[in-house]
Amino acid sequence: MRKGFQGLILALLLTAPLHAATPKAKVDYDLSRMNFTMISGFFFQMLIDPPTYENKVFKIKGKFQASTNELTPEGLPYFSVIINDVTMCCQEGIDFIWTGDHKWPQDYPKQDQEITIIGKYIVTEEDGVSYSYILASDIIL
């Protein structure tokens, strides 16, 4: 009887978390574990059927890119996460806006730094042109 009880206690200790779990945002689509071919197909699907993915939470892993944008009043760059294929000849990417009080450039990753973003897929329209991006709540380095 005592061995069975000790085994139960040991099993509980080995499977119990060492600290309290913190609640995380539910990720609807985790692209961070997909290969380039799957991501490329997924991005294409998002472009041809935006309502299916709008306001869904995505997790995407790639390289940070900042591109200059003289059209914005503040001159802030566009921020993107870029995914390369294995041969580094082709790439896919999506723009993102990081929510919160972040200053450019000091609070942002370095150019080409590996990042993972988590956020909602947003689709907007301006002057008859549709534009989509990720409204990132988290950037993980």
Side-chain angles (χ1 to χ4, degrees):
M1 176 77 134
R2 189 169 184 192
K3 270 189 174 180
F5 182 70
Q6 288 175 338
L8 176 63
I9 296 296
L10 181 60
L12 289 173
L13 287 174
L14 291 175
T15 58
L18 297 176
H19 53 83
T22 56
K24 293 184 177 185
K26 178 183 171 262
V27 173
D28 297 302
Y29 299 101
D30 186 351
L31 278 57
S32 68
R33 296 175 181 244
M34 290 183 181
N35 67 25
F36 176 81
T37 304
M38 292 178 71
I39 290 171
S40 183
F42 206 98
F43 279 177
F44 179 75
Q45 191 64 33
M46 290 165 66
L47 289 173
I48 64 170
D49 188 16
T52 297
Y53 303 100
E54 195 168 6
N55 292 314
K56 301 292 186 191
V57 177
F58 282 78
K59 182 177 181 182
I60 304 170
K61 184 177 183 178
K63 295 199 183 226
F64 174 77
Q65 289 287 310
S67 306
T68 55
N69 178 15
E70 295 83 20
L71 299 177
T72 60
E74 305 85 21
L76 288 176
Y78 284 108
F79 303 111
S80 304
V81 59
I82 305 295
I83 301 98
N84 290 307
D85 72 343
V86 175
T87 63
M88 301 295 281
C89 76
C90 303
Q91 59 185 2
E92 290 286 344
I94 191 165
D95 291 344
F96 70 87
I97 297 173
W98 192 9
T99 60
D101 187 26
H102 309 287
K103 305 274 188 278
W104 170 254
Q106 59 269 29
D107 294 338
Y108 283 78
K110 292 176 177 44
Q111 194 79 338
D112 293 322
Q113 184 173 358
E114 185 88 12
I115 63 169
T116 301
I117 63 170
I118 299 172
K120 283 187 180 181
Y121 181 65
I122 305 295
V123 179
T124 62
E125 190 171 313
E126 191 172 315
D127 298 326
V129 177
S130 183
Y131 174 71
S132 59
Y133 62 94
I134 299 292
L135 186 60
S137 56
D138 292 311
I139 295 181
I140 304 163
L141 304 178

